[in-house]
Amino acid sequence: MPEPSLPVEGIPQLVWRADAAGAWIWTSPQWSDYTGLSPQESRGDGWLAALHPDDRAGQVEEWRRAEPQGGLYSSHRLFDAEAMCYRRFQTHATPMRDADGRIFEWLGSSVEVENLQAEAGRESPLLELRHRMRNTLSVIRSIARRTARTSRTLKSYSMHLEGRLDAVARIQSALMRDATSGLDLAELIADELLAHAAREGNRLRIRGPAVRIRPRAAELVGLAVHELATNAVKFGALSRPDAHLAIDWKVTGEADALDITWKESGMRIKTPPPKRGFGLEVLQDTMAYELKAETQIAFDPDGLRCAMVLPRENIWLMA
């Protein structure tokens, strides 16, 4: 059965990145959807336009204190473009540091609290809200650190990080529509492939029974699909007009596990990739640790094959 709904489940988490000086360099789609500011308009200090005029100076002052105190913690009002009014948000940002301890980037999340306080009138939902904010930033920090470790240049780091954060943002945006029932696996896979300009057709097949992935599992499965799709666009079946990609899944036994198979064909692979990058870490390590999933990856002569087995606890079957 689906987990009970929490008062904070529908609250939007607006994720963003800033450089060492606090100038914004990236925003999640939720930020633009909520505030009406485009990513371009939000860069630098353009994001301040979304704050209530009376709160802007205070937020600039909070940024001045952020580095000495090891993080940004603030409360302010943001413009709700749909409702045409301001609502109160809590913002938390954490610094990313290089090997010498210098800050090279900030990762932040802003979450609405006004409606939560009005509906709940007690402290426990606020504690849950803070917990969710920490979880979101924990995922982002992990992605940023691993991306930095596996990137050779700053340009490569920025490109890969933005792609991964966009994938996380797509999952979060979909979960906001109904966080209590998870995500349809077929839609999750199709949406991620569509983000890579890949549509189902003669060269791409997506097939399996109706299954919904629980929210926490959906974030990681979506990220895993993102890594597989990115690799396929660069080096695999989605990079060649004569290659094919088949994604199939089934529920095994008495609904004990979900088997997902990603199979590329029509390629000619002589040797597997020389280094173990972020994608393999997600598929083989993170999925195993967080979801107790088993993943097998093989570089067959005609293309990559990835088999993931997720325990029953990660899914809901649909009638």
Side-chain angles (χ1 to χ4, degrees):
M1 292 295 293
E3 298 171 354
S5 175
L6 293 170
V8 296
E9 289 290 350
I11 294 175
Q13 299 190 32
L14 316 179
V15 182
W16 42 270
R17 296 167 54 206
D19 63 19
W24 284 27
I25 57 177
W26 178 88
T27 56
S28 68
Q30 290 94 322
W31 168 267
S32 294
D33 291 344
Y34 192 91
T35 65
L37 290 180
S38 69
Q40 293 74 22
E41 292 171 327
S42 303
R43 288 175 182 165
D45 60 1
W47 58 274
L48 286 169
L51 271 65
H52 191 284
D54 294 344
D55 295 345
R56 293 170 188 170
Q59 190 68 5
V60 171
E61 183 60 30
E62 291 289 349
W63 267 111
R64 294 195 184 101
R65 293 196 291 263
E67 183 171 358
Q69 67 186 16
L72 176 72
Y73 311 90
S74 66
S75 176
H76 52 78
R77 288 163 290 181
L78 276 180
F79 185 68
D80 182 340
E82 182 176 355
M84 298 296 288
C85 66
Y86 288 92
R87 301 189 186 279
R88 186 158 295 280
F89 273 68
Q90 285 186 355
T91 289
H92 179 201
T94 187
M96 297 296 297
R97 301 179 185 272
D98 60 21
D100 297 321
R102 292 188 295 265
I103 296 175
F104 66 87
E105 190 166 299
W106 290 85
L107 303 173
S109 176
S110 302
V111 181
E112 185 185 345
V113 297
E114 183 174 280
N115 288 342
L116 174 65
Q117 291 171 321
E119 294 173 5
R122 60 183 185 272
E123 180 66 15
S124 56
L126 290 178
L127 293 176
E128 174 65 23
L129 170 60
R130 296 187 188 105
H131 178 68
R132 285 173 60 84
M133 290 179 68
R134 285 195 296 269
N135 284 347
T136 298
L137 285 176
S138 177
V139 171
I140 295 172
R141 280 197 301 268
S142 177
I143 291 174
R145 287 169 180 162
R146 292 184 180 187
T147 303
R149 189 170 66 245
T150 55
S151 299
R152 295 182 178 180
T153 65
L154 182 59
K155 181 179 179 180
S156 173
Y157 165 79
S158 182
M159 178 183 67
H160 286 101
L161 180 59
E162 287 189 12
R164 287 157 185 161
L165 291 182
D166 283 339
V168 171
R170 281 191 291 273
I171 296 296
Q172 287 185 340
S173 181
L175 285 172
M176 285 176 195
R177 293 193 289 269
D178 187 358
T180 62
S181 61
L183 292 184
D184 179 84
L185 179 59
E187 292 182 7
L188 184 155
I189 293 173
D191 287 348
E192 187 56 42
L193 289 172
L194 187 60
H196 289 79
R199 296 176 180 271
E200 194 169 6
N202 294 332
R203 295 178 50 233
L204 171 61
R205 185 189 73 205
I206 303 173
R207 184 174 63 188
V211 173
R212 297 191 77 86
I213 304 295
R214 292 177 184 262
R216 174 57 181 151
E219 291 181 353
L220 293 177
V221 172
L223 188 57
V225 172
H226 169 78
E227 293 301 316
L228 288 167
T230 299
N231 182 76
V233 167
K234 290 183 177 180
F235 313 109
L238 297 180
S239 68
R240 296 185 51 169
D242 55 344
H244 296 82
L245 170 60
I247 308 168
D248 300 281
W249 62 90
K250 61 182 179 180
V251 178
T252 61
E254 296 181 359
D256 288 331
L258 174 66
D259 289 5
I260 305 175
T261 302
W262 175 289
K263 180 67 178 77
E264 300 178 29
S265 58
M267 305 291 296
R268 295 179 181 177
I269 298 180
K270 297 181 179 180
T271 58
K275 76 169 188 173
R276 188 172 185 272
F278 178 88
L280 286 179
E281 286 188 13
V282 170
L283 289 163
Q284 296 181 326
D285 298 340
T286 308
M287 296 277 287
Y289 180 78
E290 297 287 347
L291 306 181
K292 299 182 177 60
E294 296 180 5
T295 303
Q296 294 183 345
I297 297 176
F299 296 93
D300 297 335
D302 66 336
L304 180 145
R305 175 169 52 86
C306 176
M308 295 179 279
V309 180
L310 278 70
R312 175 71 173 82
E313 64 199 55
N314 295 298
I315 67 173
W316 293 317
L317 298 179
M318 296 171 62

